[in-house]
Amino acid sequence: MTHKETQRTLLGDVAREAGVSTASVSRVLNRAPHVSDRLRERVEAAIDRLGYVPDGTARALASRRIGAIGALVPTLDNPIFGTMIDSLEQRLKRHDCRLLIATYRYDLDDELHALRTLVQQGIDGVILIGHEHRPAVHALLERRRLPFQTCWNGDDTPEWPSIGFDNAAPARRLAEHLLTLGHRRVAVVSAPTEGNDRARARLAGFRQALMAAGCPLPPERIITVNYGIAEGAQAFETLMNLAMPPTAILCGNDTLAFGILLAAQRAGVNVPEALSITGFDDLPQARFMSPPLTTVAVPASEMGRQVADALIARIGGQRPPHRRLLDASLVLRASTGPAPADG
């Protein structure tokens, strides 16, 4: 019996089990419009009873689609990426696509290797974080004519279609907020900026606002660490041991801010009376910290949904807007307050 004949027989088994036609089974499997809930339930119940698995290979050959999207993510240690990935995956399921994820720990050579592996496995399109990649990444995507979409970076660049937000502008607004509160001894705790254009833009935004106010950042008040609560706590200790410790700390993400806030509590440093702290992400935990964290609301879930829709459109031959800029607003909470009298 040929492959097609086997497939038709299996469809017939499902149809007989459900008491419907093979055409009705196909309509349910292919997610055709206007399929009644009753029909779908009958077919899916029959599939479950028989243990039938639709032949993805045959569908891919017929539609020239594999049904898989690759996402290259620097890390899943930062929960904000997990939020975006969850939203992305749920949206792709609506498009009958599964998501393949590879992480590269901000190592752009490893990202290139991971992309090659995903392409070899078979994918219909690629999602990238930011615009900083090895030139071979773009060359491979173009050579393979593989649709792609970037996110998290809102810059308008001709080679990278993007759905993101301006990382520098809200960073400037955070620093300006602290300056308005009277802070002049401000420090920054940032993620490594190599291979990370988002961290670089946030650091630039912090610097620009402080420089414009005549409060440039000396090197000893810029701490670069990997994302993590423990790393944030260590950065707090380093900064508090300075001869003139800061009265406010701007953090590159919420996780670092959580570490600093917890370390301050352990050291008996009152927040915000003695030290103001800001984050960047607005993770769900931020509002439940003590005190609640001032931060920037990164539109991670909305980004995931829009990226999925845009990439599927590209795969279908459409041309969605080259750039979409989402809002990342300040969220002012109780972790920031007026500078102390000696600050």
Side-chain angles (χ1 to χ4, degrees), residues 171-291:
R172 284 195 297 271
R173 291 197 294 271
L174 274 177
E176 289 164 355
H177 169 63
L178 293 177
L179 290 164
T180 301
L181 291 170
H183 293 277
R184 293 299 178 266
R185 294 204 311 270
V186 179
V188 170
V189 179
S190 169
T193 56
E194 184 177 354
N196 186 342
D197 51 14
R198 289 82 60 205
R200 197 160 54 246
R202 294 174 195 182
L203 178 57
F206 294 148
R207 284 181 181 275
Q208 289 164 6
L210 294 169
M211 184 73 74
C215 302
L217 274 170
E220 67 271 15
R221 290 213 297 265
I222 303 175
I223 306 293
T224 300
V225 293
N226 292 323
Y227 284 136
I229 288 178
E231 288 80 359
Q234 182 59 54
F236 167 83
E237 292 182 12
T238 301
L239 290 170
M240 290 302 108
N241 284 327
L242 294 175
M244 294 287 286
T247 63
I249 301 176
L250 293 155
C251 297
N253 82 344
D254 280 358
T255 304
L256 290 172
F258 295 162
I260 291 171
L261 185 54
L262 293 170
Q265 291 173 347
R266 190 169 60 241
V269 175
N270 291 327
V271 177
E273 291 81 6
L275 178 69
S276 287
I277 301 168
T278 72
F280 203 114
D281 282 338
D282 198 21
L283 296 176
Q285 302 93 317
R287 71 184 65 186
F288 298 109
M289 298 300 287
S290 181

